[in-house]
Amino acid sequence: MTIAATEPLVDVRADFPILEREIGGKRLVYLDSASTSQKPTQMIEAVDSHFRRTNANIHRGVYALAQEATDLFEGARQRIASFVGDSYQTTIFTKNATEAINLVAYSWGGANVGPGDEVLITQMEHHSNIVPWQLLCRRTGATLRYLSVSETGELSLAELDAVLAEGRVKLVGVTHVSNVLGTINPVAEIAARARAAGAVTLVDGSQAVPQMAVDLSELGADFYAWTGHKALGPTGIGILHGRRELLEAMPPFLSGGDMIASVSFEGSTWNELPFKFEAGTSPVAEGIGLGAAIDYLDTIGMDRIRAHETDLTAYALERVIEVDGLRVFGPLDPERRGGVVSFAIDGIHPHDVAELCDREAVCVRAGHHCAQPLMRRMDVPATARASFHVYNAREDVDRLVDALRGAREVFGL
Amino acid sequence: MDELYRDNILDHYKNPRNFGTLEAHDLDWHDHNPLCGDELGVHVVVEEGKVAELRFHGQGCAISQAAASIASEELIGKRLEELPELSADWLIDLLGIDISPTRRKCALLSLKVMRGASTGDASWPE
C-alpha cells in the first residue's frame, strides 16, 4: 500500500535545533517523545535569558531583581494553570509527575485511606501510578485493585461501576492517555462515576497535556498530575492540580522553607495554597521554561497539534503493518489513541529492533515502558514503541518503516 | 555483515544450545535485567563438584540469548568453585563482539544467573 505524502499539517521543525543533528551521517529521526519531548528554541531561550538576566531567588528578595524573577515564575504558573483550565492557587509545582502522585498518595492517602478501604487503579498504569499506591496500601492496610484492560487496550466502565458499587473504593487512579497503548481513557466519565460513589479520582495526564487540549474545569477529576519535560519544557518540573477543598484539608507532604506561614520552636503553621506543598527553593528556571513551552504550544494551538498527531498516528498505523510479522498493540482507531504506536516483530526482540533502528538514526524506545503489569497483561515481555510530537512528519514514519525492514534483513527474516 | 549481529550470534539466538529445563536438578536460579525485563533462569545438574548438565530458560534479546547459549557450552564441565571467578571480560571475550555500555547487562545476564546458582551472589559480574 502506498499513501501519498501530504504536506505536514504543522511544520515547526525549524524551531527545534536538535533536529538539525545527524547521527552516523544520517538525519536524526526522533520518535521517543512519549519518553521526553524535544525542546523549541523559544523555551531554551527563556531559560537562558532567565539565567543571564533575571536570576535571583524568588518570593523573599526585596530587591527589584528578585521581584522580576518572582513575577516570571508566578506568571508562568498563572499561564500554565489557564492552559489546562485550572486556577493559580490549585496549580502546584513538583519535581515531576511521579512526585505529584506521591504527594497525593502520602498526604491525601495517609489522611483518608485505612484498613478495609480500596484504591482502584488500572492495568495500563505507568509504574509512577502503581508503586505509590502499593506503598500506601502497605502502610495503611488498604487493598489495591486493578481495572482490567481489554484485548483492544481499553477499560470497561461496566467493570468500574461494579467495583465502585461494592462501596470500598476511596480513590480511583487512571492514566488519561496510555504511554504504551496510546488509549485515550474516558477520564471525565470515570471521575463522575467515582465521585457519585464517594471516591476521589487522580488522573495521570503526563501523556495527555502535551498533545491534546485538556480542560480540567470540564474533566472533573479531583487530582490531575503531569510533567513538564514531555510538554516541550525542561526536566525537573511537574504539576499537580487539585480540588481546593481537598488541598486545603490535606497535611503538607515535603516540609521546610517556603511552605510555612510561621515557624517557632514549638511548631509551625502552613503557607497558603499553592505554596503549602512547595517546600524549599522552587524550580525557578524550570517553571519559567515550562511557561515558555506552554506559550509555544498555545501559539500553535492544541487542536492543531492533536490533528497533526492523529494524522501521523493514522499514517504510522497504516505503514508499520506493511512490515512482515509486525503486530501493533492498542486501539486501531487513531481517533481513540494518542501519538504512540507500540509494536512487536516476530523473531526480533524489541531491544534488537531499537538497536537496529538506531543504526539508521531512528530513535525508538524498547522495553517495558515502565508498565510491567501491562506487559504481562498483553503477554509480551516488551515492545518497541514509536511516539510522535508536533515536530515529526510523515517522512519520519517512512524512515522508521525502512529501518524495520532493514532489521528483518539483518536477522535473516 | 553486521558487526554486532554476526552470523554466530544470530545462530545461537535462533538455535540456542542447552536451552530448556531439567526436571531433576541440583541448582536452580532465576534473575532478570530490570532495564529491559529480559528474564533468564538456569537448572544445573552437579556431578563430582562439576557442572554436568545445564539448561537456561527465559526470554530476551539476541545478545542475552546468544550469550547464554555460547556461555553454556563453556560452563559445562567447569568445577563449581571456578564459577565465581568468571569475569565479565571472560564472557564478552567469548562473544567476540563489541558490546556497547547499554547492552552490557544483556550480555552478562547469563553469567549473573550462573554465579547466582553456584554461590547465591546476585550481584552483576564485573
Side-chain angles (χ1 to χ4, degrees):
Chain A
M1 187 194 314
T2 53
I3 300 159
T6 59
E7 287 296 307
L9 295 179
V10 180
D11 188 355
V12 293
R13 278 179 287 180
D15 291 336
F16 293 80
I18 203 168
L19 300 180
E20 292 163 18
R21 271 203 67 178
E22 294 191 342
I23 292 191
K26 292 165 184 157
R27 179 179 70 80
L28 175 68
V29 172
Y30 186 76
L31 297 178
D32 197 18
S33 296
S35 184
T36 194
S37 68
Q38 293 302 346
K39 317 301 177 195
T41 302
Q42 291 83 339
M43 189 287 281
I44 298 167
E45 285 179 350
V47 174
D48 183 82
S49 166
H50 168 65
F51 282 129
R52 288 179 191 279
R53 294 180 36 80
T54 57
N55 182 54
N57 211 336
I58 56 170
H59 295 157
R60 281 171 295 274
V62 173
Y63 45 87
L65 192 66
Q67 191 57 48
E68 275 185 50
T70 303
D71 290 348
L72 282 170
F73 181 73
E74 295 303 336
R77 187 198 307 269
Q78 180 62 64
R79 301 198 310 283
I80 290 164
S82 303
F83 180 71
V84 292
D86 194 27
S87 63
Y88 173 88
Q89 287 81 5
T90 51
T91 296
I92 296 157
F93 285 134
T94 61
K95 182 174 68 184
N96 46 35
T98 297
E99 187 184 293
I101 296 169
N102 274 275
L103 191 166
V104 176
Y106 276 89
S107 174
W108 184 88
N112 292 282
V113 174
D117 291 336
E118 291 179 350
V119 173
L120 179 64
I121 59 175
T122 84
Q123 289 179 335
M124 70 167 84
E125 298 310 307
H126 188 282
H127 293 166
S128 61
N129 203 22
I130 299 176
V131 183
W133 307 117
Q134 289 178 336
L135 292 178
L136 172 68
C137 289
R138 191 182 298 173
R139 284 194 302 275
T140 60
T143 302
L144 183 60
R145 295 179 65 176
Y146 296 84
L147 286 177
S148 61
V149 172
S150 74
E151 284 302 313
T152 55
E154 292 172 295
L155 301 174
S156 155
L157 290 173
E159 185 186 359
L160 171 68
D161 287 341
V163 177
L164 289 174
E166 295 173 25
R168 290 185 295 272
V169 175
K170 297 298 287 281
L171 179 136
V172 178
V174 60
T175 186
H176 196 161
V177 176
S178 163
N179 69 313
V180 176
L181 302 166
T183 316
I184 301 172
N185 287 314
V187 287
E189 269 296 306
I190 290 170
R193 287 166 194 233
R195 180 165 300 179
V200 306
T201 307
L202 179 141
V203 175
D204 175 1
S206 298
Q207 300 291 340
V209 174
Q211 57 173 317
M212 62 184 65
V214 171
D215 185 349
L216 297 181
S217 66
E218 287 183 4
L219 206 72
D222 298 288
F223 298 105
Y224 193 96
W226 57 289
T227 192
H229 72 95
K230 295 186 203 289
L232 315 188
T235 52
I237 187 155
I239 300 90
L240 175 69
H241 303 278
R243 195 146 58 82
R244 182 192 290 261
E245 313 87 87
L246 296 179
L247 292 174
E248 281 176 344
M250 282 157 58
F253 172 43
L254 301 176
S255 57
D258 221 24
M259 50 77 68
I260 43 82
S262 70
V263 177
S264 69
F265 287 116
E266 291 73 33
S268 304
T269 56
W270 315 132
N271 202 342
E272 62 189 4
L273 291 174
F275 312 111
K276 173 175 136 184
F277 292 104
E278 295 182 357
T281 294
S282 296
V284 181
E286 290 80 358
I288 292 168
L290 182 57
I294 292 309
D295 294 343
Y296 181 84
L297 291 169
D298 221 10
T299 302
I300 298 171
M302 291 312 293
D303 290 336
R304 284 178 74 206
I305 290 170
R306 171 69 186 143
H308 181 77
E309 300 240 8
T310 307
D311 175 76
L312 279 180
T313 307
Y315 184 68
L317 287 170
E318 290 194 49
R319 289 240 42 214
V320 295
I321 55 170
E322 293 172 18
V323 178
D324 289 335
L326 186 145
R327 122 182 111 108
V328 168
F329 301 97
L332 291 177
D333 177 0
E335 298 292 338
R336 298 173 73 178
R337 63 147 76 210
V340 53
V341 177
S342 282
F343 57 91
I345 300 178
D346 290 343
I348 317 182
H349 190 276
H351 251 195
D352 299 310
V353 170
E355 171 114 24
L356 289 164
C357 284
D358 184 50
R359 307 271 175 88
E360 301 302 321
V362 175
C363 306
V364 296
R365 187 74 178 271
H368 51 59
H369 315 294
C370 298
Q372 285 178 320
L374 178 60
M375 294 293 126
R376 188 160 301 166
R377 162 67 187 87
M378 299 193 303
D379 203 22
V380 289
T383 72
R385 180 186 73 182
S387 52
F388 315 109
H389 211 290
V390 63
Y391 39 74
N392 290 117
R394 285 185 170 199
E395 63 193 65
D396 295 343
V397 175
D398 297 335
R399 287 273 303 277
L400 170 67
V401 171
D402 291 345
L404 296 177
R405 288 191 168 129
R408 291 189 81 253
E409 274 175 36
V410 168
F411 271 64
L413 297 170
Chain B
M1 190 172 67
D2 193 278
E3 62 199 31
L4 181 62
Y5 299 102
R6 291 184 177 177
D7 286 347
N8 78 311
I9 298 289
L10 290 175
D11 175 49
H12 278 274
Y13 172 57
K14 290 177 180 175
N15 309 294
R17 322 306 192 248
N18 302 303
F19 203 77
T21 55
L22 291 169
E23 199 146 310
H25 52 260
D26 302 296
L27 303 174
D28 178 2
W29 197 259
H30 187 269
D31 211 332
H32 68 287
N33 180 351
L35 296 178
C36 57
D38 283 4
E39 291 188 18
L40 199 67
V42 71
H43 287 161
V44 183
V45 172
V46 181
E47 283 172 11
E48 295 172 0
K50 290 181 178 174
V51 176
E53 249 191 302
L54 74 85
R55 295 280 189 281
F56 282 114
H57 41 262
Q59 55 75 31
C61 65
I63 304 305
S64 76
Q65 299 297 94
S69 174
I70 291 168
S72 73
E73 297 185 316
E74 297 294 320
L75 290 167
I76 291 172
K78 286 215 185 294
R79 302 196 60 79
L80 288 189
E81 59 264 30
E82 289 179 80
L83 298 179
E85 309 299 323
L86 296 174
S87 67
D89 286 345
W90 170 79
L91 183 57
I92 286 169
D93 288 348
L94 208 56
L95 290 178
I97 50 177
D98 283 335
I99 295 286
S100 68
T102 54
R103 300 304 290 274
R104 192 173 162 86
K105 285 188 173 174
C106 304
L108 295 179
L109 183 58
S110 51
L111 182 57
K112 181 176 196 268
V113 167
M114 198 62 192
R115 297 207 315 185
S118 60
T119 66
D121 173 10
S123 63
W124 283 96
E126 287 179 11

